[in-house]
Amino acid sequence: MSRSRKLNPVIEMARKTTEDELIKLGETNALLQQEQGQLDDLINYRQDYLNRFRQGDPTLMSAKKALDLRAFLAQLDQAIQAQQNQVTQSETRVQHQQKNWMEAKNKEQAIDTLMERYKSDELHQQQRHEQRENDEHTNAMWLRRHKS
C-alpha cells in the first residue's frame, strides 16, 4: 500500500476534527451572541426605566419611593455586571475555541501538504518506472533488429 493511501484515514480524522472544532466554535459564538443580547436588553431596560422616571416630577416622589428606586437600580446594576462577566467569559471561550479550530485547520493543511508531496513522489516514481520499462523495451527491440 502506498504512503499516500496509508494517510487517508489520518486525513479523514483531521478533517473530522476540524469540522467538529468549527461546529463548537459556531455554538460558542451563538452563546456569546445570546449573552450579549441579554446584556444589551438589561442595559436598555435600565435606561428606559430611568427615562420613565425622569419624565415624572421628582419633587413629588416620596423618600420611600426614592429609596426603592435606588435599590432597584442597584439590583439592575448588579445584574448588568453579572451579565457582563458572563459575556467576558464567553468571549474568552470563543477565543479559545477559535484557537482550537485554527490548530486543527493547520494540522489538516499540514497533512494535506504531506499527502500531496507523497502523491507527487509516487507519480515521479511511476513515471521513472514507466520510462525505464519503455527504455528496456526499446533496447530489446533494437537488439533484436540488429541481431538479424
Side-chain angles (χ1 to χ4, degrees):
M1 180 182 281
S2 67
R3 292 189 304 175
S4 63
R5 285 184 147 208
K6 289 178 185 176
L7 269 184
N8 280 337
V10 176
I11 287 175
E12 288 306 312
M13 283 181 13
R15 285 191 178 125
K16 176 80 171 106
T17 299
T18 301
E19 185 179 311
D20 290 347
E21 294 298 334
L22 184 59
I23 289 169
K24 288 177 190 174
L25 177 59
E27 291 169 350
T28 307
N29 218 352
L31 182 60
L32 171 61
Q33 296 305 316
Q34 179 185 0
E35 289 176 347
Q36 183 64 52
Q38 290 173 348
L39 176 61
D40 293 342
D41 289 346
L42 282 170
I43 291 170
N44 289 336
Y45 179 74
R46 185 183 191 285
Q47 191 60 44
D48 290 345
Y49 192 83
L50 277 175
N51 287 342
R52 277 186 277 133
F53 165 73
R54 289 180 182 143
Q55 288 175 354
D57 187 0
T59 58
L60 298 176
M61 183 182 286
S62 68
K64 174 154 177 35
K65 255 192 162 177
L67 288 174
D68 288 346
L69 173 66
R70 181 185 289 171
F72 181 69
L73 290 176
Q75 286 178 330
L76 267 177
D77 289 341
Q78 286 177 343
I80 289 170
Q81 185 57 48
Q83 190 61 34
Q84 180 60 55
N85 291 341
Q86 280 295 112
V87 168
T88 301
Q89 289 174 0
S90 284
E91 288 170 340
T92 301
R93 284 191 293 272
V94 166
Q95 290 170 354
H96 177 72
Q97 193 56 47
Q98 283 175 330
K99 181 182 172 217
N100 289 347
W101 173 70
M102 285 302 295
E103 287 173 358
K105 184 75 174 156
N106 289 339
K107 185 175 181 180
E108 178 186 346
Q109 288 173 341
I111 294 170
D112 280 340
T113 300
L114 180 62
M115 171 70 104
E116 291 304 315
R117 193 173 81 217
Y118 282 177
K119 284 181 177 180
S120 176
D121 290 348
E122 290 166 3
L123 179 63
H124 286 111
Q125 284 178 341
Q126 181 182 358
Q127 288 171 342
R128 282 192 303 255
H129 178 72
E130 289 172 1
Q131 184 63 47
R132 209 174 313 123
E133 285 180 351
N134 286 338
D135 290 347
E136 287 173 6
H137 180 70
T138 303
N139 285 338
M141 287 180 62
W142 186 83
L143 286 173
R144 269 187 258 150
R145 280 189 207 158
H146 283 47
K147 279 187 175 182
S148 329

